[in-house]
Amino acid sequence: MRSTPGLTHVIGIVNIGVMIVAVVALLVLPLGHDGANVEHAAKPAPKTAPPALPEVPAPPPVTATAESARNVGANEAGMVPVLMYHRIMKKRLASIDRTPSQLRGELEKLAKDGYVPITAAEFVAGAIDIPAGAHPVVLTFDDGHPSHFALGTDGMPKKDTVVQIIYDVASRHPGFRPVATFWINANPFGLRDTARQAAAVGWLVEHGFEVANHTFGHPDLYRLTKKKIAESIVRQQRLLERLGAPRSATFALPYGSRPKKRSNARDGKWDGTSYHFDAVFLAGAEPAISPYAKDFDRYNVPRIQSNGKKGECRKWCSQYWLEWLRKHPDRRYTSDGDPSHVSIPSRFRGKILAKLDGVLITY
């Protein structure tokens, strides 16, 4: 199954364009020695209990049938937007930056259109447990920028950080699950102090966010030897382990740049430590296909840059694709509400993995 006829063959070209833009963006602000913005002399977060965050109850148990799947227009062979963000800044300094109001506006539109966030790890595992009639969306944030997460003196996420904005939207839209994936480098969220790094990672993991490997120094993997690729990934893997993060099931390519031997991005070994990722994510430029589809390539998962429709984004970034999916509801992933079954219109039966025949519902 292909998401849109005639578009897949140009993904590589668009990836290169997105990669170049990302390089420029990363050079705009002064960076630390390892490629991360640095926060100096940060005060430790208070140990008092913070105010309660909005909670989203789990979807009620549903046993899907052909009739119930038809009633909600279930199509679990459909397309899933995996959105890619970088810095969130009040004043944008590069095309891939977004402002807090732009991020909030996009999340509000997603919530109103019936999208429910899941993590990248949940997506590639096919662990999509959302209400019947809802659509999954994967929110991904690269580089562990300070604008992504920080706690205020009240122990709550700081205003206009990514996590605060996600919770703000979730508080107004019941069912909008407050989760996302953060692919981080060294000095996550601009923190140098190990204790604060561990506290930040621990907070996010405890609250259902995915924190995973984006290499230690954010190099262009295409330019590196196999050994240097493995070193950059393993060094970050060891850091994540020290900070208490779970094993990284997913990996996002810095700049969207693939190694000359693509398998080096998912498997390797350095200094006695090996690594393996269940999925590798690119930097653009169309929706991903369902993880239940025969053609799903877990080691080349496309993402959509969050942006408007100007210039190279005219037909490649989030505003275009979210409008396209709204106009083509039969092409997007719509849940049957039952994570133990896969429901699809009968015309898509040949697109689904054969191993799922025992749990497949067609109508």
Side-chain angles (χ1 to χ4, degrees), residues 121-183:
E122 289 169 335
F123 171 62
V124 298
I128 304 176
D129 187 3
I130 62 177
H135 321 290
V137 61
V138 185
L139 308 175
T140 70
F141 297 85
D142 289 12
D143 308 338
H145 191 263
S147 63
H148 297 168
F149 178 67
L151 291 177
T153 56
D154 61 353
M156 294 289 285
K158 282 186 178 179
K159 180 177 172 57
D160 288 341
T161 59
V162 165
V163 175
Q164 186 273 330
I165 292 170
I166 290 175
Y167 273 111
D168 184 38
V169 173
S171 70
R172 291 195 299 275
H173 296 276
F176 190 80
R177 185 168 170 246
V179 299
T181 292
F182 294 99
W183 280 303

Side-chain angles (χ1 to χ4, degrees), residues 233-242 270-273:
I233 292 173
V234 167
R235 289 183 71 192
Q236 185 64 10
Q237 176 173 299
R238 289 175 176 175
L239 172 62
L240 287 165
E241 289 173 353
R242 290 196 300 272
W270 176 76
D271 191 31
T273 301

